[in-house]
């Protein structure tokens, strides 16, 4: 398979995965709402999923877990613990570097290609301990044409992707 074929296959599969994922999220939300309503209306908490020939392939059950305690106001909770269970308070002195400085410093070092920093005020060059130049992993980026995903979907519907995408997912591919 050529690199172009591999890139095309990756793009097609990503478009299909995105479409399936979006549809799955939508239908699961609809399913949950339907089961909640069925439970309210008739006490129904489970429904069978069947194929067109009537074969039951799964059962879908509404799960209603008990409420769980969650801290929503950390400051108020900590104050209560401090007042009522001071033995459960952990006091720490924490030293951190401002994230913006870290970002700026690493960006400068990356541009320079060395783990050194030059103080612009004094001109002094610092060897910065704890920083190493790591090779970065190669990656790819897909930039879709305006109607690219829609075109993939249309090709899928027309059965034109059997040779590119998984045949069992394409129209006419799993006959």
């Amino acid at each position: 398979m050529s690199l172009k074929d591999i890139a095309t296959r990756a793009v097609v599969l990503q478009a299909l995965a995105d479409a399936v994922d979006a549809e799955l999220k939508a239908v699961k939300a609809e399913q949950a709402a339907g089961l909640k309503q069925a439970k309210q209306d008739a006490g129904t908490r489970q429904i069978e999923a069947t194929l067109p020939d009537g074969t039951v392939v799964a059962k879908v059950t509404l799960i209603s877990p008990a409420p769980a305690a969650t801290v929503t106001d950390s400051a108020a909770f900590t104050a209560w613990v401090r007042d009522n269970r001071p033995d459960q308070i952990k006091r720490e002195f924490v030293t951190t570097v401002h994230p913006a400085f870290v970002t700026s410093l690493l960006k400068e070092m990356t541009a320079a290609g060395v783990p050194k920093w030059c103080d612009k005020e004094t001109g002094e060059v610092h060897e910065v301990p704890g920083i190493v130049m790591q090779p970065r992993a190669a990656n790819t980026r897909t930039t879709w044409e305006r109607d690219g995903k829609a075109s993939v979907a249309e090709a899928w519907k027309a059965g034109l992707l059997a040779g590119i995408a998984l045949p069992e997912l394409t129209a006419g591919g799993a006959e």
Side-chain angles (χ1 to χ4, degrees):
M1 188 179 293
S2 73
L3 180 55
K4 182 176 180 175
D5 292 341
I6 292 168
T8 300
R9 182 172 165 80
V11 167
V12 166
L13 290 172
Q14 185 64 59
L16 294 174
D18 291 350
V20 168
D21 186 52
E23 186 65 20
L24 180 60
K25 286 177 183 173
V27 77
K28 280 191 170 193
E30 188 177 349
Q31 171 184 274
L35 276 171
K36 285 177 186 175
Q37 190 63 52
K39 181 183 176 200
Q40 286 180 351
D41 294 348
T44 302
R45 299 183 64 229
Q46 187 177 74
I47 190 157
E48 293 178 335
T50 60
L51 296 177
D53 68 1
T55 303
V56 176
V57 292
K59 290 182 180 161
V60 180
T61 305
L62 178 66
I63 304 297
S64 302
T70 306
V71 175
T72 58
D73 184 340
S74 186
F77 175 69
T78 300
W80 178 86
V81 174
R82 185 185 61 239
D83 294 344
N84 293 279
R85 289 295 307 272
D87 59 310
Q88 296 301 315
I89 293 293
K90 179 180 177 183
R91 299 189 191 288
E92 298 177 324
F93 179 79
V94 179
T95 301
T96 61
V97 179
H98 293 286
F101 179 72
V102 173
T103 300
S104 173
L105 194 65
L106 294 177
K107 185 177 179 180
E108 287 181 38
M109 290 178 185
T110 297
V114 293
K116 296 179 182 181
W117 176 73
C118 180
D119 186 329
K120 290 176 180 75
E121 291 179 16
T122 66
E124 183 180 355
V125 177
H126 297 264
E127 292 275 346
V128 182
I131 305 290
V132 295
M133 301 302 294
Q134 295 274 22
R136 292 190 264 186
N139 60 61
T140 62
R141 174 179 53 211
T142 299
T143 304
W144 292 94
E145 294 295 325
R146 183 181 317 259
D147 296 323
K149 288 185 180 182
S151 296
V152 168
E154 289 303 315
W156 182 29
K157 290 175 189 172
L160 302 175
L161 303 181
I164 298 172
L166 299 174
E168 60 273 17
L169 294 180
T170 57
E175 306 198 2

